[in-house]
Amino acid sequence: MKKILVTRKLLKECEEKASKVFDANLNSNDELYSQLKLIELSQGHDAVLTSLTDKMDEATINKLPDSVKVISNFAVGFGNIDLEAAKKREIIVTNTPDVLTDATAEIGILLILGACRRASEGIKSAKESNWKWSADYLIGKQLTGSRLGILGMGRIGQKIAIIAKALGMIIHYHNRSKLSEEKEQGAIYHDSLKSLFSVSDVLSICCPATKETVNLINKETLEYFPTGAVITNVARGDIVDDEALIDALNRRKIYAAGLDVYKGEPNLNPGYQKIKSTFILPHLGSATKHTRTAMANLAIDNIDEFFKTGNCINKVN
Ligand code: GLV
């Protein structure tokens, strides 16, 4: 039986599955392993099932024992893993696409609604019972008829587009390549960021964090937006330069931000805390029982597939 190290606690039925398929070294206390501890624990293991909280950088990967052949990430994103370093050591890296598309798109829509309709301020006032109805109380931005720019039209972006269209939004997008008409479903393609941002009343960031997308939302690109635009991010915190966005919010260039992800999670840049309109969640994109179960099972299956066939359909390096 292959031996695997599971770095974070999984849902019960997924841990049972892991222990059925493998000799699984589980983390029942859900301790956040340091890089050093992860390296120590992985001795004698054939695979490591990681989470987005594990920073698998070059130095860590280089110190993994030769026995480790697979790093199976319990996430669709793999910005926490140095793919090249893994490749050099002939370790395959896998992810969990598709199964989290719906749940993550739901949160993407929640961010748009929450930021546009001033949900943070509304929740606070309602809980404190310190509000009074009036014709102009907590007036927000209406989605119907607004233009939604989607940055990164992969599976999650496409699902957000379908829901947002049903809400009456007009969909624009930028992607590395134009989609087929069938996948576009009437969305308007822009071949540059500037072109997309200039028509985005609301932006939904859905692209992966890569060297090319780090700080894509910055001092310069924020100026491309119409004044009063709303920025939402359901992808990765690394894509946004927080200081630039906080400054744009304070200047009212940007009306509101809806973030499920941010740099340095779980520590939020204090600049956001001071801005009442920010609608911020603690990385809940895939957090439903159905989805987290499917993701963990897929992460386990990816390892199994590799050891049975020598390859894996969800290999990303
Ligand atoms: C969640 O953020 C994921 O990448 O799966």
Side-chain angles (χ1 to χ4, degrees), residues 52 74-78 96 100 104 234-236 261 283 286 295:
L52 51 86
F74 172 46
V76 67
F78 39 83
T96 60
L100 46 57
T104 308
V234 75
R236 282 293 183 268
V261 289
H283 206 140
S286 62
M295 286 168 69

Side-chain angles (χ1 to χ4, degrees), residues 142-265:
Q142 186 149 322
L143 269 52
T144 312
S146 294
R147 298 166 299 178
L148 174 65
I150 299 185
L151 178 59
M153 197 64 148
R155 306 171 192 86
I156 296 167
Q158 287 172 42
K159 183 71 197 254
I160 288 177
I162 291 169
I163 306 171
K165 200 171 159 195
L167 290 168
M169 300 189 86
I170 300 143
I171 316 298
H172 295 253
Y173 75 100
H174 172 67
N175 200 46
R176 269 172 308 184
S177 51
K178 190 176 180 311
L179 301 187
S180 64
E181 261 178 43
E182 191 198 339
K183 284 190 173 162
E184 262 181 352
Q185 303 218 22
I188 302 151
Y189 178 66
H190 294 258
D191 63 4
S192 74
L193 283 183
K194 191 170 189 173
S195 170
L196 177 74
F197 292 175
S198 67
V199 297
S200 296
D201 299 316
V202 182
L203 181 76
S204 177
I205 301 171
C206 301
C207 61
T210 62
K211 283 188 193 101
E212 292 73 40
T213 62
V214 167
N215 289 337
L216 210 63
I217 302 298
N218 57 44
K219 193 170 185 297
E220 185 188 335
T221 56
L222 280 163
E223 292 310 309
Y224 301 158
F225 286 89
T227 294
V230 170
I231 307 283
T232 69
N233 187 2
V234 75
R236 282 293 183 268
D238 282 341
I239 299 161
V240 175
D241 174 342
D242 292 314
E243 293 301 333
L245 179 55
I246 290 164
D247 176 60
L249 285 159
N250 283 327
R251 287 187 287 115
R252 293 266 168 218
K253 166 71 188 175
I254 298 300
Y255 177 82
L259 311 174
D260 186 42
V261 289
Y262 47 87
K263 281 203 183 83
E265 292 170 17

